[in-house]
Structures are given as C-alpha cells and as structure tokens.
Amino acid sequence: MTRILITGPSGFIGTHCLQQLLRRSGDFHAVSRTGKGDSQAGITWHACDLRNAAQAVALVAEVRPSLLLHAAWIATPGVYASTPENIEWMQATTAMAVAFGANGGTRFVGIGTSAEYDPGEQGCIEDETPIRPSTVYGKCKAATWLAIQAAAQHYGFAAAWARLFLPYGPGDSPHRLIPSIVNSLIASMPVRTTEGLQKRDFIYAPDAAELIVKLLFSDEVGAFNVGTGVPSTVRYVIEHLAACCGKPDLVQFGAIKPASSEPPVLVADMTKVRERLGWSASTDLRRGLDRVLAGRLERLGGFEG
Amino acid sequence: MTRILITGPSGFIGTHCLQQLLRRSGDFHAVSRTGKGDSQAGITWHACDLRNAAQAVALVAEVRPSLLLHAAWIATPGVYASTPENIEWMQATTAMAVAFGANGGTRFVGIGTSAEYDPGEQGCIEDETPIRPSTVYGKCKAATWLAIQAAAQHYGFAAAWARLFLPYGPGDSPHRLIPSIVNSLIASMPVRTTEGLQKRDFIYAPDAAELIVKLLFSDEVGAFNVGTGVPSTVRYVIEHLAACCGKPDLVQFGAIKPASSEPPVLVADMTKVRERLGWSASTDLRRGLDRVLAGRLERLGGFEG
C-alpha cells in the first residue's frame, strides 16, 4: 500500500486535505507538533516540529513516504505575510525535499500561493504570469518551489506545486476576511471596510483540498493554480453576507483605504487544471458563503438577530 | 571605515573581485576554507566552510560586515550544473543573509547566473525575461535570490544580484571552454567541437569583477546582468584562437553534437546596467582572447609551435 505523509494536517487547508485523503486507500502518516490529531482510524501520527530542519529530515527518514503532501507553513492572519518564520519554513521544506529524495520518495506536492504572481487584469497563468512576489511570504514560497524542483531534478522524483488563491470555509480563522465579517454581522457590530472593488478568486476550502489531493494522486508535474477562475469583488462577498443576515446597514464601504500593495485583480486562470486534471470547482461563491453562514448559525443555535 | 566581507575570494570571479575591492578603501575581510589567501596588506582572512550553515552564520556574527559580497558557490566545470551541492549553497547562503540582516548589515550583493533565465533570441532583460532555469544550478541560484530578497525585506538591508554571463580570462579553469581550446591548440592536439553556432555573451573576468564591485558600492537594488551585451558565436572564439596560433586545421567543427538543453542564444541586455550604473565592458572579445593567449604563451616561455 502506498505510504503517504501529510504535513500540516491540522491547519485550515490541511484538515480538508486529510479528509480528502481518507477517501482514498493508502498507508496514511500525518505529522503535528504534539503527535496528536484527528483520531479517525487509519492514520499514524508523528510528533515533529517541522521548522526544525533536523527534525523534519529525521521524520522523513523514519517514515520514508512515497507521496508527500506538504501543507504545513506559517499561516497566522496578520502575521504570515511578513514574518521571517517564512524563511525558516523555506529552509526546512528544502531540507525535507532533499531527505524525501534521498529516502526514495516518488512524488512531492507542496502548497504555493497566488502571492507568488505579479498579477495583471487577466487571470494568472501558471507558466506565463511573471513570478514577482511582493511579500516575504510570496518570496519564500516561490523560492521553495524552485528548491523543490532542484531536489526533484537531482533525485528523480516528481514534484507539483498547488498555488492556492483565497480559500474560505469550515475551519477558517476568525481573523480572516469572511469569518470576521460574519461574526461582526451576527454580533450586530458595524463592518468597516474598503470600497471592496478588488477582484479575488475565492475558493471553498473543501474544493481546494479536492483539487490538491487529485494533483497528489495524478502524474502531473509543475505548478497548478488552486482557484475557481471566477473573479468576485470583496464587495459582493460582504453585500451577500449582509443581505443574508438582513443587516445591510451595518456595512460601511469606503471606511478603510485599501493597502497600496493590494493588486486590483488576483484571479486564477484554470485552463491548465481543466485540461490536465479535468477538474473544476463545484461550489460557487454564493453557495459557499451560504454554507459558511449556515454553519456559523448552527453552532450558535440559531440566528439571534 | 566600512567593513566589507567577501566570500569566495580565491575562486575565479572572486579573485578578480578582491583585486577590484583593494582599489577602494575599506576594512576588508575575506573568507576561505583554510583562512589563508592573497597576502596583500589590508585583508583580514577568516577560516570557514561556508557550506556549513552554522559556520557561515557564526562568521557573519563575528565579522559583522556592513557590505557583503558573496562570490562563493560550487563552480567545478562538468559538475556545478547538476550537483546537489547547489542546494547546500542555497541553504547556507540563505542562512548567511539572515545572519547578515540580524547583525546590522546594510548591503548584500550576490552572484547570480544567466542560467536563471529562459532565454529567447533577444538579450535577457533583468526584470522581463522569464526566470525558468533548466539546471539544478540555475534553480538554486534563482531560489537564493528570492530568499535574499525575503531576508532583505524583513531586516531592511539593500540587496542586489549580479547575473553573470560567460566569464573568461586569467585564473579560468583549464577545463572550461576557452582555456581548454587554447591548451589543445598549443599542444597541437585536434579541437573537436560542435558547429559552434550558439551565441553567447563572453565577458572578460576583470571587467565582470569591475561591474560587480561597482554594484556593491552603488545604491542600486535588484538584479543586474554582468555581460557585454554583444552576442558572439562559439565558432568565432575558436576560429580566432586557432588563427592566432596559426593552426586552423586542428579545428573539427561539427565533430560533437550540441546538448539539446543548450539554448541557441544566451546574451545579456545591458540597458539597465548602462542606465543605472553608467557602466559598459571595456574589453572586447577579440582583445580579451588575445590577452588570454598572450598570458598563456608567456607562462610557457614563448610559443613552441
């Protein structure tokens, strides 16, 4: 049975990836700092602080996975874009990729980011849009993908890179855009926001995980966007949530100025994914937002107004 | 007095860079594995194996340079393009860049390569030509430049990257193109070669070092090509050397097939360097080749025919 190691299986995207993995057959190994996690049958848990390159290398040498899905990285909202912890993750991931090759690994899939691109008005195309990341996060992710490719070339393993656009859905941090708006609306607090005209590619996290795991089990190598290909304004997201809650008056568009570093459009071109993997997102934004809202209200025991 | 650390000062390009540095004023520190090197006054030598990240970090913390010229890397002909040692150099360089920032460094200049580009028929433009390296060497250099930029962004130091095209001249390895041809011709051995139609940007190493050191002492950040901007065929180089030696009959063009990975054209666009640094190469290829040949013959005590 194929041995599969997943890192970051307790993170936002990792949790969904682990669920998708468990629909397949395999000898599943997962790593967390404590060595504990989802108690479903069929997962062997390992304790490791992956930012420590020596520990990461030792783990890979012990598990000797054939497939490695590397979803661990610093993701703390408000912190991840500029923290030097990104450099530690780059160093540790590179060491892990080398250990993976040296221990007979055959296929390495890592999670990249839309922040690697210098986006234009059109959708980002994996092998055409310039890689000119503006954040420490984007730079370290782009550097890591080059490093993984170098290790893959030397050791002869296959490598793919899933460039994630804007995931949302169950398990999202309350400090990220959509949960924070939902929470404000439910608490009847004002929602102070930009004009919200920037266009983004929001992807429902379970869909993103489905694509990532499909990529893991494919033979495709190279970079692949993980998005929907559909541009949506932040304004649409907020207006829809506010309308669903019956509280459009709480929203103050234009109360905040957008950061000058924010690109006006950041959307995936999904042609390569469609052609090579035959995949497209099944959950449109409206349906995804409705699910997020329904999930939140369910946990509250109903809408309190 | 500004403290300047140079790595790789005993390598091909590093030797020329050190000579250029010594024309300036500064508190010069140089690192070699043995801690020994050029005995000219005004250089403090340090012993360090830079591929060992812990040693590299300790060195930077001890010297605390303001300027760092990082010229060390694996460069062994026939080996450097594909060896996994490139990954070690990437890891160590990244660790060194972080230590440089953490210890108050202000300006980091590293040596990149034309092998980072996916070149077309025209000259490679620093911020336009796609970065799609085909070798392990090119991937690791490109990844390292991203990593240095990430560290620079976090710590607030200035960073520049000198993408070196094809250097030749005094100190070149006898296993590289030009010295090996010169040695064959002098020994009256046949020169078996490709058709030699590929166009390259050959730069006289002392000129390359002049540009790199000018970049180090400038305020410019970003990537800069180190070339001449002039395309020359490999055939021209060989024909000129053979003619100078009076042995054109020794050359067998077409005896070897070029590697399929060899791009037909790999030439620098020098517009950015000219505009930002006001620099252009002073030694044209013909003059540079004549110097190489004269130097070789001088060491032999005259041309033996």
Side-chain angles (χ1 to χ4, degrees), chain A residues 280-303:
Chain A
S280 60
S282 56
T283 311
D284 71 18
L285 182 56
R286 186 186 188 101
R287 192 151 134 242
L289 291 174
D290 290 348
R291 282 194 196 155
V292 167
L293 204 55
R296 187 76 186 89
L297 295 174
E298 198 178 307
R299 284 198 304 286
L300 282 174
F303 187 51

Side-chain angles (χ1 to χ4, degrees), chain A residues 82-84 87 90-92 94-95 98 127-128 131-136 139-140 142-144 146-147 149-151 153-155, chain B residues 82-84 87 90-92 94-95 98 127-128 131-136 139-140 142-143 146-147 149-151 153-155:
Chain A
S82 59
T83 174
I87 302 176
M90 178 186 65
Q91 295 276 62
T94 303
V98 168
D127 305 311
E128 288 185 21
I131 301 298
R132 265 196 290 269
S134 62
T135 59
V136 172
K139 288 179 175 83
C140 288
T144 301
L146 282 162
Q149 289 173 90
Q153 189 167 347
H154 175 70
Y155 289 103
Chain B
S82 58
T83 174
I87 302 177
M90 178 186 67
Q91 296 275 60
T94 303
V98 167
D127 306 311
E128 287 184 22
I131 300 299
R132 266 195 290 268
S134 61
T135 59
V136 172
K139 288 180 175 82
C140 288
L146 281 162
Q149 290 174 88
Q153 189 167 348
H154 175 71
Y155 289 105

Side-chain angles (χ1 to χ4, degrees), chain B residues 222-244:
Chain B
F224 289 85
N225 288 334
V226 177
T228 65
V230 179
S232 304
T233 62
V234 169
R235 193 176 189 103
Y236 168 79
V237 170
I238 298 173
E239 283 178 340
H240 180 72
L241 292 171
C244 288

Side-chain angles (χ1 to χ4, degrees), chain B residues 99-156:
Chain B
F100 179 73
N103 284 282
T106 59
R107 188 165 172 79
F108 188 117
V109 174
I111 311 290
T113 168
S114 56
E116 293 170 54
Y117 292 117
D118 183 3
E121 290 291 312
Q122 302 303 312
C124 296
I125 301 177
E126 290 89 338
D127 306 311
E128 287 184 22
T129 301
I131 300 299
R132 266 195 290 268
S134 61
T135 59
V136 172
Y137 171 69
K139 288 180 175 82
C140 288
K141 284 283 193 178
T144 301
W145 170 226
L146 281 162
I148 291 168
Q149 290 174 88
Q153 189 167 348
H154 175 71
Y155 289 105

Side-chain angles (χ1 to χ4, degrees), chain A residues 2-81:
Chain A
T2 307
R3 181 165 290 185
I4 301 151
L5 175 62
I6 177 172
T7 72
S10 312
F12 175 35
I13 281 301
T15 304
H16 293 288
C17 288
L18 183 58
Q19 295 315 310
Q20 290 287 334
L21 275 180
L22 292 170
R23 296 180 179 190
R24 311 254 178 169
S25 65
D27 172 18
F28 297 111
H29 292 253
V31 53
S32 68
R33 279 183 220 178
T34 59
K36 290 175 186 157
D38 187 315
S39 59
Q40 286 177 77
I43 312 168
T44 306
W45 285 89
H46 302 265
C48 181
D49 180 357
L50 293 171
R51 284 169 310 174
N52 180 318
Q55 281 191 36
V57 166
L59 174 80
V60 170
E62 183 199 336
V63 176
R64 294 180 61 89
S66 290
L67 307 191
L68 176 46
L69 176 54
H70 180 44
W73 198 275
I74 171 75
T76 314
V79 169
Y80 78 94

